[in-house]
Amino acid sequence: FTNASGMEDAGVGGESGRKVVSASAEGITRETLKEGMWLRGTVRNVVEFGCFVDVGVQQDGLLHRKEIQPGTGLPDVGRVLQVRVKAVDLK
């Protein structure tokens, strides 16, 4: 359903004016996700091509390795991140 881009530890300052929210706390669902939203999520699984991040909307989003800042490597399972929704696919 989502491709996420960007990766920062939750709680670490990012772009000024960015509003990072918890989907579950804000009542966001798969159907109300929008491109460009910044969400807080937890890495649930790491695979060769990236990682899957639970942002609290029923299905994990993919953070593709090409969207991760070069030189940082893939995050560990359990790491809490700020991610931006790049695309939504409800199929």
Side-chain angles (χ1 to χ4, degrees), residues 24-82:
S24 57
E26 297 288 324
I28 297 169
T29 65
R30 287 180 56 200
E31 291 75 21
T32 60
L33 273 179
K34 293 189 180 6
E35 291 180 25
M37 284 181 158
W38 281 93
L39 300 172
R40 186 172 296 109
T42 304
V43 176
R44 294 292 178 210
N45 190 21
V46 178
V47 293
E48 184 177 325
F49 53 86
C51 62
F52 291 92
V53 180
D54 177 1
V55 294
V57 294
Q58 228 175 9
Q59 185 177 4
D60 295 348
L62 170 63
L63 177 57
H64 197 279
R65 74 177 318 124
K66 70 180 180 183
E67 299 289 347
I68 297 173
Q69 189 174 30
T72 61
L74 292 171
D76 294 326
V77 170
R79 184 169 165 191
V80 178
L81 306 173
Q82 296 176 6

